[in-house]
Amino acid sequence: MPVDSPTALVEKLKKSGEFDRLRQELLAKFQQDESYPEFKEGLEDIARKRLMNEPMLHYLGPDWVLKELSQEIQRRASKETIRRPENSS
């Protein structure tokens, strides 16, 4: 069966188990990277501050809270990308 789109490729990789294997491998490499602790601390800080500043989040469903926190992280990441010079990594 030929792969004619990115979606078809992902589906083929998922069916074979390769998608999950690659995901686990990449996550393990990322978690071993020297920047991981700082990245994780930043995410935890964002979540902690948002939960402290908006007590109503404690009473909402976990799916809604996860969505809100994910959007906050994406907004902050976009701002950081804009502020970061092109040549810095």
Side-chain angles (χ1 to χ4, degrees):
M1 177 176 169
V3 176
D4 57 1
S5 72
T7 303
L9 176 61
V10 170
E11 287 304 314
K12 185 174 182 177
L13 290 172
K14 283 183 177 181
K15 285 179 184 177
S16 71
E18 187 67 10
F19 186 88
D20 194 46
R21 189 196 65 74
L22 286 170
R23 181 190 60 77
Q24 290 175 352
E25 180 183 329
L26 291 171
L27 178 60
K29 285 181 180 180
F30 175 65
Q31 289 174 331
Q32 293 171 359
D33 189 87
E34 64 184 34
S35 65
Y36 178 73
E38 183 181 346
F39 175 78
K40 183 179 175 189
E41 173 84 21
L43 292 178
E44 290 171 348
D45 187 53
I46 290 170
R48 193 173 19 260
K49 286 179 180 176
R50 185 80 187 265
L51 290 168
M52 284 176 45
N53 292 332
E54 296 183 41
M56 71 167 213
L57 291 176
H58 293 276
Y59 302 104
L60 301 172
D63 290 341
W64 194 90
V65 174
L66 180 60
K67 180 182 172 192
E68 284 295 305
L69 292 175
S70 295
Q71 289 174 348
E72 179 73 17
I73 290 165
Q74 288 175 358
R75 282 192 293 270
R76 289 185 186 216
S78 295
K79 289 178 185 176
E80 287 298 315
T81 301
I82 291 168
R83 285 191 281 216
R84 186 181 313 142
E86 282 185 34
N87 293 333
S88 71
S89 297

